[in-house]
Amino acid sequence: MSVEIDNLPGFHIRRLQQIAVAVFLEETQATGITPVQYAALYAVGREPGIDQRTLARTIGFDTSTIGSVIDRLESRGLMQRNAHPEDRRVRLLTLTSEGQRVLEEVEPGMLRAQERMLEPLAPEQREVFMDMLRTLVRGNNALSRAPSEPLDGRAARRAR
């Protein structure tokens, strides 16, 4: 073969994702929250009343995946769906008080996981690495099956 797998960025990105999930789950195991569930709880906590489609775009997940994530969070009593007052097909999401409590409980472990992931890098390399990751994600966002649109981006467009 003419290609060395160890020279492929995709190989290392996939491995880093596996490592990131493992470290997150290890640090947050007491809460039973997955990285995707954390992202959903965080986004809904940040913008209560967000609809399911917007949540999916915000955290970069397809709508069918986010539906099952919300189902699990709702069955645990952490999130609730409410009908939109003008469009009954749209479901607006809010955290329950238990969901807010779990979100606060998971935060220290989530932050420890982030530190552990970056630990092999020297402190001065961490910011550079994060800038490079953001550049790659933004530059390739449209190529994703579920492109993301951060909450801040929508707010900026609405303000124009």
Side-chain angles (χ1 to χ4, degrees), residues 31 57 64 70 76 90 100 103 108-109 117-118 129 152:
T31 64
R57 282 194 314 271
S64 60
I70 294 166
R76 286 185 60 186
V90 175
Q100 184 62 46
L103 183 59
M117 285 177 238
L118 295 176
F129 177 71
D152 296 341

Side-chain angles (χ1 to χ4, degrees), residues 26-46:
E26 186 177 302
E27 289 291 345
T28 63
Q29 66 187 359
T31 64
I33 296 295
T34 68
V36 176
Q37 291 171 343
Y38 173 79
L41 288 168
Y42 172 83
V44 172
R46 188 162 175 222

